[in-house]
Amino acid sequence: MSELVSEPIWIESLDLEAQGIARLPPALDAPAGEAGKVLFIRGALPTELVSYQITRDKARFAKAKVIHILKPAVFRTQPRCAAFGICGGCSMQHLDMAAQIAMKQRVLEDDLWHLARAKPAEILRPLNGPNWAYRQRARLSVVNRSIKKGTALVGFHEFNSGYVADMLACEILPPPVSALLLPLRDLVNALSIPDEIAQFELAVGEGNTTNAFQPVTVLVMRHMAPLSSADLDLVRNFAEMHSVWMWLQAGGIDTAKPFHPTEGSLSYRLPEFGLEMPFLPTDFTQVNHAMNRALVGLAMRLLAPQAHERILDLFCGIGNFTLPLARLAKAVLGIEGNNALTLRAHSNAKHNGLADMAQFQLANLFTADAAMVRSWGPADRWLIDPPREGAMALCQALGELQKNCLAGDATALSFLPKRIVYVSCNPKTLARDTAILLGEAGYELTKAGIVNMFPHTSHIESIAVFEKK
């Protein structure tokens, strides 16, 4: 049951969800010296004095929301988005950008130390980019919140809720896309099956029209029941009125097809390497194209491939790192566990004239072992870019090869890359894998730092460099 606490409290620190952390006074009957219960207060920042309301009270901790900020922190800032605090998409708009970056860097360093007992020899300068209107990929949920009123909401979910936030705009989406939130509501409400529209998958990129690159916005509408001919007319009219490329998806991801126009192109570019990367709106690509360009450039400089070397790109996706590597090295092998992405990577290599330099292979990297690594052939350097689950099996395979090497297997050393660049979207799995690379595979952590791919959110992208001892 909620309880309004009259006594203000000082906020000591911040967790990854940007909740202020304080400590309640010990209970009156608590043993001497026992600390009070930890309190997480949504909306509060370190050094602030706040009053609050308990929203959840458990045996070892409590959660609360801010009622009044009695003494604000110097790094508190005014959120730009009117839906901030309701929408669950951003958790840090009330925190100055420099403080956001510092917090993410601290989380990375703390995880590396506490989970791997590792400190990088060099902390990389944080890689930062546009803070607003940066999100070129998103999933916009659809929820018919009020059946009586027949009102469907389109946008991001509320904080810890199945409801969709009643948002009129979104500051992290490009302005032309943000302006579609209300028209998309109207479209859903006008359809004969508004309750059967689950989501819109958004992808913004470039289209190639008469050799000129033009911005293009794709919306993939997921519908759980067939659309009538009148519904299709409404979708077609929406596409023409708002100059978007509408796709329809009736089932699994393989059912997503262009609807109106029936043909087109979608790509992003890596101009530093002279690359155009075609992709489908359902493919996995980075949400922030400007930061992706910066990240690819940084990864190439850190890996420093030489013209005579062979490189492995693991979890290669559509070739985001593989093709830049192919511009710099003698040969690159990209390995991916998703067949559709592997085929797209093949196509992208051919599209950029790199089919002879970049080869691709399908493999389940979550079950990798030393035998699988040997099957790929010797490589001088590796780039690893796994999903949130990390690359534990790969790191353990390197540990197994290191053990073979120490046992006198002279061939094992050639399969242990002299340098690894690891791009991570989860600092905890990066730290776990770091412990394996340092403790079992004979590597040193020479550099690490954050990449602010998702400003105003708790998501932490990072990059680390490992050198063979």
Side-chain angles (χ1 to χ4, degrees):
M1 184 175 69
S2 296
E3 175 188 359
L4 183 62
V5 177
S6 58
E7 290 294 324
I9 197 166
W10 289 97
I11 306 302
E12 300 172 5
S13 59
L14 202 67
D15 76 355
L16 187 53
E17 297 299 324
Q19 297 178 114
I21 302 175
R23 194 172 284 276
L24 293 168
L28 294 177
D29 57 350
E34 182 175 291
K37 185 185 299 185
V38 175
L39 178 64
F40 299 93
I41 307 180
R42 187 163 179 256
L45 296 175
T47 74
E48 291 187 330
L49 181 66
V50 304
S51 63
Y52 58 95
Q53 184 178 23
I54 297 286
T55 57
R56 186 181 179 192
D57 198 359
K58 307 295 275 186
R60 302 180 68 176
F61 69 92
K63 291 195 172 187
K65 63 181 180 181
V66 166
I67 300 300
H68 297 293
I69 300 169
L70 306 174
K71 184 182 182 302
V74 294
F75 39 79
R76 175 175 286 276
T77 189
Q78 181 65 34
R80 182 183 291 196
C81 185
F84 178 73
I86 300 171
C87 172
C90 292
S91 58
M92 298 184 186
Q93 282 193 25
H94 61 319
L95 187 60
D96 176 79
M97 183 52 61
Q100 288 186 35
I101 292 172
M103 191 201 83
K104 293 181 179 184
Q105 184 73 47
R106 176 184 57 79
V107 169
L108 173 63
E109 293 180 45
D110 285 352
D111 282 345
L112 286 171
W113 177 248
H114 292 302
L115 300 178
R117 284 294 183 262
K119 289 186 177 182
E122 178 186 343
I123 298 295
L124 296 170
R125 181 177 180 178
L127 194 61
N128 198 24
N131 298 326
W132 304 103
Y134 66 81
R135 186 149 193 161
Q136 274 88 27
R137 289 195 61 86
R139 178 169 295 167
L140 303 174
S141 297
V142 179
V143 173
N144 200 321
R145 189 169 186 172
S146 174
I147 300 299
K148 285 195 299 184
K149 294 181 180 179
T151 301
L153 302 182
V154 179
F156 297 114
H157 282 279
E158 293 180 354
F159 177 75
N160 281 350
S161 170
Y163 286 123
V164 169
D166 187 359
M167 52 197 302
L168 306 182
C170 176
E171 297 292 342
I172 65 171
L173 292 176
V177 177
S178 175
L180 292 175
L181 292 177
L182 287 180
L184 282 171
R185 285 193 197 184
D186 294 338
L187 171 63
V188 173
N189 289 325
L191 296 174
S192 65
I193 51 166
D195 295 343
E196 302 296 336
I197 308 303
Q199 66 188 35
F200 290 92
E201 196 81 28
L202 162 72
V204 178
E206 295 174 322
N208 195 334
T209 305
T210 63
N211 297 319
F213 290 100
Q214 300 292 335
V216 58
T217 298
V218 181
L219 290 169
V220 183
M221 187 171 79
R222 175 80 167 92
H223 56 100
M224 311 299 290
L227 296 164
S228 68
S229 59
D231 291 335
L232 295 175
D233 287 340
L234 288 170
V235 175
R236 187 179 294 107
N237 292 339
F238 182 93
E240 293 177 353
M241 179 178 297
H242 297 285
S243 300
V244 297
W245 189 11
M246 294 296 300
W247 286 43
L248 298 179
Q249 181 182 344
I253 196 169
D254 59 323
T255 67
K257 306 294 181 186
F259 172 65
H260 189 78
T262 56
E263 295 182 353
S265 64
L266 182 67
S267 66
Y268 65 89
R269 288 184 290 164
L270 298 171
E272 182 178 352
F273 304 97
L275 297 170
E276 180 193 2
M277 304 292 290
F279 67 98
L280 297 182
T282 52
D283 288 342
F284 172 79
T285 57
Q286 289 286 9
V287 305
N288 186 332
H289 290 175
M291 283 301 296
N292 181 59
R293 289 192 291 270
L295 172 60
V296 170
L298 175 62
M300 296 304 106
R301 292 190 293 275
L302 293 175
L303 193 62
Q306 303 301 302
H308 64 280
E309 292 180 328
R310 183 173 185 266
I311 313 296
L312 292 187
D313 179 16
L314 304 164
F315 300 97
C316 70
I318 67 171
N320 187 55
F321 293 105
T322 325
L323 300 190
L325 286 167
R327 294 283 197 216
L328 303 172
K330 180 180 180 180
V332 185
L333 175 62
I335 303 175
E336 169 59 44
N338 181 292
N339 187 55
L341 295 181
T342 305
L343 294 174
R344 191 94 57 249
H346 273 291
S347 176
N348 285 347
K350 184 177 179 181
H351 179 80
N352 288 280
L354 292 168
D356 293 335
M357 305 291 293
Q359 303 298 314
F360 296 92
Q361 185 175 321
L362 182 68
N364 182 357
L365 296 174
F366 295 111
T367 61
D369 57 17
M372 182 183 289
V373 172
R374 286 176 182 268
S375 75
W376 300 331
D380 299 281
R381 302 167 198 255
W382 282 15
L383 190 142
I384 308 177
D385 182 20
R388 291 188 61 81
E389 294 88 341
M392 182 168 67
L394 279 172
C395 296
Q396 289 174 331
L398 292 177
E400 186 178 346
L401 287 167
Q402 172 74 356
K403 188 182 298 183
N404 294 342
C405 189
L406 295 176
D409 182 352
T411 65
L413 183 61
S414 64
F415 299 97
L416 291 164
K418 61 187 177 186
R419 179 176 296 174
I420 298 171
V421 167
Y422 189 132
V423 178
S424 167
C425 57
N426 183 344
K428 286 187 167 38
T429 54
L430 170 62
R432 177 204 65 200
D433 294 345
T434 296
I436 299 170
L437 289 173
L438 273 57
E440 301 178 21
Y443 285 86
E444 295 177 316
L445 176 61
T446 58
K447 299 177 183 180
I450 69 156
V451 178
N452 199 23
M453 186 73 70
F454 297 81
H456 312 296
T457 77
S458 59
H459 183 101
I460 299 177
E461 193 96 3
S462 60
I463 192 166
V465 181
F466 300 89
E467 301 278 357
K468 191 75 179 76
K469 292 181 183 178

